[in-house]
Amino acid sequence: MEILQYHSLLSMEELPGIAETLLERCGHHPLTVAVMGKALRKEVRAEKWEKAITNLSTFATCAPGPVSYVNEKEAESTLTIFGSFEFSLEAMPGDSRRLFIALASLSWAEPVPEPCLEAVWSVLGEESLFPLIVCKLVEGSLLIKTEMDPLYLVHDMVSLYLASKADDSTGILLNEYPLDETAFICPWLLVFGKENVKKIAEERMEFLFNVLEGKQVVATLEAIVQALMASKSMSELEISRERFSRILGPRIADLISTDSLNLVAVTTEAITNIFSKSDYCNYFPSLETTAAISKLTATLEYCEENPMIQIHILIVLAKLAEFGSPGTVDKVLESIPFNQIAGLLSSGAEKWHESLFTVLNSLTKAGKSNAVERMFASGIEKTLIKLLENGSEVVQHHAIVTLKGFYEVAHTPENDFLQPSNLNVLPWQVRLRLETFVLSDRTVPHSPKPLCFEDLVYKVLDGNKNQVLQAMQDLIPIIEKSADSRVREMILHSPLVSRLSELLQSRHSDHNSIRSESAFLLMKLAFSGGEPCIKKFLDHDIVPELVKMMQCNVEELQDSAYTALHQMLFGNGGILVLDKIFKTGFVERMVQSVDSKSVKTREVNVHCILDLVELGNRSCLEQMLSLQVVEKLVKLEKITGGCGETIVGFLKGMDKCKHLSMMERRVIKQQVVRKIRASLKGHKLETQILASVDASMSEGSKGGSSRYRK
């Protein structure tokens, strides 16, 4: 009775006397009562209620029955509920009824994003009316809109009712409207439809691509990108991406060879959003035997006024070079307008930077010194250095990675813009990262004669505390030269690494300084010696010991352990350290430590988590999210009264991560923001922290497309 009063907006005194009869006819089922109450909102006339009861019985008789139920009573109850849906729909405007039936094609096992509902409605009617139409369904309890995000879900009984209408819905969307509309809705059904609907949508898309009618293929390609962007999770994105790549991959040569420049442009956008590394390997060789490079170059010239299209074409050309033959690399380098890239890299065009860094890194990897020399000649290096001076933190990071790639391939450029005397104009954190590969002292011999190395190792093995500490200090100059293979082999074949591992494990409080110095030496060795040293560390379980040190209650040791682990992660061979942390479950220990009462323990573990975000891949991030790392970081912000700095750092780490595609980054950031909003709901810091998060998201998505279909 209270449910009926609530949804009908009538008090007990205002309800007609026949209300009790309605409740009995509804079987006292809460959903049925709610639906009928909303259909009779503010209606006080008894005759209207009598008619509603009669109609409910009629609709229940005509409603589609459930496939199978345990007993007759359960089936009868379901028919009554279905009848209430029919009654509610009958009272709604025709547009709302059509949208609701059309939604039967979608899978409601999980919440469906609002853009998908908008796409379905765009086939049926005028897009501007969507908010009004969907509102009617929400008011009628046929749809439920989540408070935190533009996601919709339905009650289990509504889902069951919609399942009975799936064939009608598919027929409406795919058969009753022009082919242009069908071309647009198919990708959405392939991502969010029921399994049988997905198969139909996939077959229809393959037909459209085989016919290759320009306008319809363009609509399909544009819808593919939009549907992927609406994915709710990385797993959903990956499943859909693979399906689309199987459809699109074998046809890219035909699509790029068409005379339609618009189709070529849209195809490149789809490729950059859909293809993974394996897709480039599998499908791009087919472009080498066609005139794809000249066609893409012509389209590039035609689209001079549209930077977004230019960038998608540049990415495809760069990937064609990266995964093509040497002859293809030369053709691509000759066709790339490097001066144009330098112009797009200006500090005022940050929204294009992430994509341009992808282009530069692919060209550097493919063309090596030939590509880098062309970039130097066009002034790209100067432009990157300007970004180091005044770019955002994320832009500075990508500029450093790109410059590092330049100098590793082409060594030091003749113009030498990054000489030590010029670095004072850069921010200190940029100088700190640049000096490791720009300011190496070439006057120092690479192979110092290690006259006293054995003696120093002997002291570390058998000396007293003071002797060990002094020997460790004296070892630093030798370890710093371990980039030289002879010095490195001498160190790795000695018992030094094994002894340092043992010292790390010491639990005596008077050995803290030795443990700290051991971590420092290992950090130096990882930095100079690279991957061979990292492999040696893994043999002696040094990484787990450093993680354990970060959990102890001695601040000096915690700082030493994190600093060493940080250097190992970001140095040559860091991927091995990353794999060790995730495969052995130590990432779970770090995440749990975010709840620690110790401020220092929280601090070093949060820093390390942010490092893992920056260096990880899709699988790493999914594992961290499953451990509720976002919720724990939000909890930390609430406890410490923060302004969202840690959460924003998490989002920026994803922006810096080079192992995520642009589409993956967009989807997982949306997933993280949903978790942040849910965790902050109702808290006093909600507004303040969400403002920081929204600002970060806005900065990170400047290059994203917000294009709508109509």
Side-chain angles (χ1 to χ4, degrees):
M1 185 63 75
E2 290 179 359
I3 293 173
L4 183 61
Q5 290 178 58
Y6 177 81
H7 289 289
S8 65
L9 301 181
L10 297 175
S11 66
M12 194 66 189
E13 293 74 23
E14 292 174 318
L15 283 173
I18 201 172
E20 189 63 52
T21 305
L22 177 66
L23 292 177
E24 291 177 4
R25 185 63 191 86
C26 291
H28 297 90
H29 192 286
L31 177 62
T32 312
V33 173
V35 172
M36 295 301 294
K38 287 185 178 181
L40 292 166
R41 182 171 295 182
K42 296 184 178 181
E43 181 58 70
V44 295
R45 291 172 293 180
E47 60 269 23
K48 291 290 185 181
W49 284 67
E50 290 176 358
K51 185 176 181 181
I53 294 171
T54 302
N55 288 340
L56 177 59
S57 300
T58 302
F59 285 124
T61 303
C62 301
V67 177
S68 63
Y69 268 98
V70 175
N71 54 57
E72 187 177 334
K73 183 178 180 181
E74 189 175 310
E76 183 180 350
S77 175
T78 302
L79 288 175
T80 300
I81 297 170
F82 284 8
S84 71
F85 299 158
E86 298 273 2
F87 178 81
S88 180
L89 287 169
E90 192 67 24
M92 287 184 184
D95 287 340
S96 295
R97 289 199 300 273
R98 285 194 298 143
L99 175 59
F100 183 67
I101 298 303
L103 297 182
S105 291
L106 306 181
S107 170
W108 291 98
E110 297 286 339
V112 177
E114 187 172 70
C116 180
L117 271 66
E118 287 184 284
V120 171
W121 170 248
S122 70
V123 175
L124 306 175
E126 182 61 40
E127 283 190 30
S128 61
L129 297 177
F130 173 77
L132 178 64
I133 301 303
V134 79
C135 181
K136 293 292 184 183
L137 295 178
V138 173
E139 289 177 353
S141 294
L142 298 177
L143 278 181
I144 303 169
K145 186 175 183 180
T146 61
E147 294 183 17
M148 304 306 299
D149 294 291
L151 295 171
Y152 291 85
L153 57 149
V154 298
H155 189 281
D156 289 346
M157 296 306 298
V158 176
S159 178
L160 190 63
Y161 175 81
L162 287 174
S164 68
K165 300 288 187 179
D167 291 341
D168 295 341
S169 171
T170 307
I172 291 171
L173 292 175
L174 297 183
N175 298 324
E176 292 187 7
Y177 290 90
L179 210 51
D180 292 352
E181 306 292 346
T182 302
F184 173 75
I185 200 60
C186 279
W188 291 96
L189 296 179
L190 188 56
V191 176
F192 300 104
K194 291 179 170 65
E195 283 304 317
N196 63 315
V197 176
K198 287 181 179 181
K199 293 178 182 178
I200 297 172
E202 187 171 0
E203 292 171 359
R204 189 65 60 90
M205 286 177 63
E206 289 179 342
F207 168 76
L208 290 170
F209 278 113
N210 289 335
V211 174
L212 214 59
E213 178 63 37
K215 187 178 178 182
Q216 293 153 13
V217 175
V218 167
T220 302
L221 291 172
E222 289 180 339
I224 286 174
V225 176
Q226 294 171 24
L228 285 175
M229 286 182 177
S231 299
K232 305 184 298 297
S233 66
M234 294 293 282
S235 56
E236 184 178 80
L237 171 66
E238 184 59 20
I239 292 171
S240 302
R241 188 202 62 74
E242 287 181 354
R243 275 186 134 154
F244 286 132
S245 68
R246 287 198 300 269
I247 297 172
L248 179 61
R251 298 171 171 86
I252 56 172
D254 293 334
L255 292 171
I256 292 178
S257 300
T258 62
D259 294 329
S260 170
L261 296 180
N262 185 32
L263 179 53
V264 173
V266 175
T267 300
T268 58
E269 180 183 5
I271 288 173
T272 57
N273 281 288
I274 296 171
F275 276 21
S276 63
K277 182 178 179 179
S278 60
D279 294 325
Y280 286 120
C281 292
N282 293 334
Y283 299 123
F284 265 37
S286 66
L287 297 179
E288 293 188 279
T289 57
T290 66
I293 295 176
S294 58
K295 177 67 73 171
L296 291 169
T297 305
T299 309
L300 193 62
E301 294 173 357
Y302 179 77
C303 302
E304 285 185 358
E305 302 301 319
N306 193 322
M308 182 177 292
I309 294 178
Q310 287 180 316
I311 286 170
H312 289 140
I313 295 173
L314 287 170
I315 292 175
V316 171
L317 283 169
K319 293 296 182 182
L320 189 54
E322 183 179 349
F323 295 94
S325 64
T328 299
V329 175
D330 293 337
K331 291 179 182 177
V332 169
L333 291 179
E334 290 172 4
S335 66
I336 291 284
F338 288 100
N339 292 331
Q340 200 169 325
I341 294 178
L344 290 170
L345 277 170
S346 64
S347 58
E350 188 171 326
K351 58 184 176 180
W352 315 122
H353 288 170
E354 179 186 350
S355 301
L356 289 170
F357 288 132
T358 299
V359 171
L360 294 176
N361 290 326
S362 291
L363 291 175
T364 302
K365 188 184 296 184
K368 298 186 170 50
S369 58
N370 185 11
V372 174
E373 287 169 6
R374 291 172 182 266
M375 295 176 197
F376 286 156
S378 62
I380 287 178
E381 184 204 20
K382 296 179 185 178
T383 307
L384 291 175
I385 294 171
K386 288 181 181 178
L387 293 178
L388 294 181
E389 297 175 19
N390 50 36
S392 67
E393 178 186 343
V394 174
V395 169
Q396 287 178 344
H397 165 81
H398 288 299
I400 289 171
V401 172
T402 305
L403 282 169
K404 185 174 185 294
F406 287 179
Y407 298 140
E408 286 176 344
V409 168
H411 305 295
T412 306
E414 294 179 3
N415 44 20
D416 249 350
F417 290 108
L418 287 182
Q419 287 301 306
S421 58
N422 297 332
L423 286 185
N424 58 356
V425 300
L426 301 178
W428 71 268
Q429 67 269 31
V430 175
R431 296 202 306 271
L432 184 64
R433 293 187 63 182
L434 280 173
E435 66 181 5
T436 62
F437 64 91
V438 176
L439 299 181
S440 56
D441 188 350
R442 296 178 178 83
T443 64
V444 179
H446 283 290
S447 303
K449 192 174 181 180
L451 296 175
C452 57
F453 178 72
E454 291 82 0
D455 296 334
L456 294 173
V457 173
Y458 178 77
K459 288 182 180 180
V460 173
L461 290 171
D462 296 317
N464 59 37
K465 177 181 177 181
N466 291 334
Q467 289 175 326
V468 170
L469 289 173
Q470 184 58 52
M472 286 180 169
Q473 287 294 318
D474 294 338
L475 279 168
I476 291 174
I478 298 174
I479 287 176
E480 286 179 336
K481 300 303 176 184
S482 57
D484 183 287
S485 60
R486 287 172 295 175
V487 176
R488 182 173 61 247
E489 289 302 312
M490 176 187 67
I491 294 172
L492 295 181
H493 283 92
S494 75
L496 179 61
V497 174
S498 175
R499 179 57 176 162
L500 293 176
S501 175
E502 293 173 2
L503 293 173
L504 279 181
Q505 299 175 50
S506 175
R507 296 296 183 264
H508 297 295
S509 58
D510 59 340
H511 284 180
N512 285 348
S513 56
I514 291 180
R515 294 179 71 191
S516 180
E517 284 296 321
S518 298
F520 180 76
L521 280 185
L522 291 167
M523 178 193 73
K524 282 285 187 180
L525 188 54
F527 177 74
S528 302
E531 187 171 328
C533 296
I534 295 293
K535 290 180 177 179
K536 188 78 170 180
F537 295 171
L538 296 179
D539 292 339
H540 289 84
D541 285 333
I542 285 172
V543 172
E545 284 303 319
L546 292 173
V547 175
K548 292 175 185 176
M549 275 179 64
M550 290 201 307
Q551 321 303 320
C552 75
N553 294 320
V554 182
E555 292 191 5
E556 176 191 4
L557 295 180
Q558 290 176 298
D559 280 330
S560 299
Y562 167 67
T563 305
L565 204 54
H566 173 84
Q567 184 59 64
M568 292 177 190
L569 282 166
F570 282 90
N572 186 11
I575 186 65
L576 301 175
V577 179
L578 188 78
D579 288 344
K580 183 73 172 179
I581 290 173
F582 278 91
K583 288 179 179 178
T584 54
F586 281 101
V587 66
E588 184 173 355
R589 179 176 290 198
M590 292 181 193
V591 173
Q592 296 301 328
S593 296
V594 176
D595 290 331
S596 173
K597 294 180 180 179
S598 166
V599 175
K600 176 56 70 173
T601 301
R602 294 199 304 256
E603 177 188 310
V604 294
N605 281 280
V606 166
H607 282 315
C608 200
I609 286 170
L610 298 185
D611 290 344
L612 299 180
V613 172
E614 181 176 335
L615 296 170
N617 54 23
R618 177 172 57 85
S619 176
C620 296
L621 288 168
E622 285 183 319
Q623 187 174 340
M624 294 173 76
L625 292 182
S626 71
L627 295 171
Q628 296 189 314
V629 64
V630 175
E631 291 85 348
K632 290 182 181 295
L633 292 177
V634 173
K635 180 181 177 182
L636 181 60
E637 293 278 7
K638 292 193 285 190
I639 292 173
T640 59
C643 59
E645 183 178 356
T646 303
I647 299 170
V648 169
F650 193 92
L651 293 169
K652 284 185 176 179
M654 287 187 284
D655 284 332
K656 295 176 184 178
C657 181
K658 65 179 181 180
H659 300 297
L660 294 176
S661 68
M662 286 182 286
M663 184 69 74
E664 289 173 335
R665 183 176 292 108
R666 178 188 177 100
V667 169
I668 200 166
K669 284 179 72 175
Q670 290 174 341
Q671 188 177 354
V672 169
V673 170
R674 283 198 293 270
K675 290 177 178 287
I676 293 171
R677 292 185 184 278
S679 300
L680 280 171
K681 185 180 178 183
H683 194 270
K684 62 181 180 180
L685 295 174
E686 179 180 8
T687 302
Q688 180 182 357
I689 294 177
L690 287 182
S692 300
V693 169
D694 290 342
S696 174
M697 288 292 288
S698 176
E699 178 182 328
S701 61
K702 286 179 180 176
S705 172
S706 60
R707 220 172 15 162
Y708 287 94
R709 175 167 169 257
K710 293 183 181 178

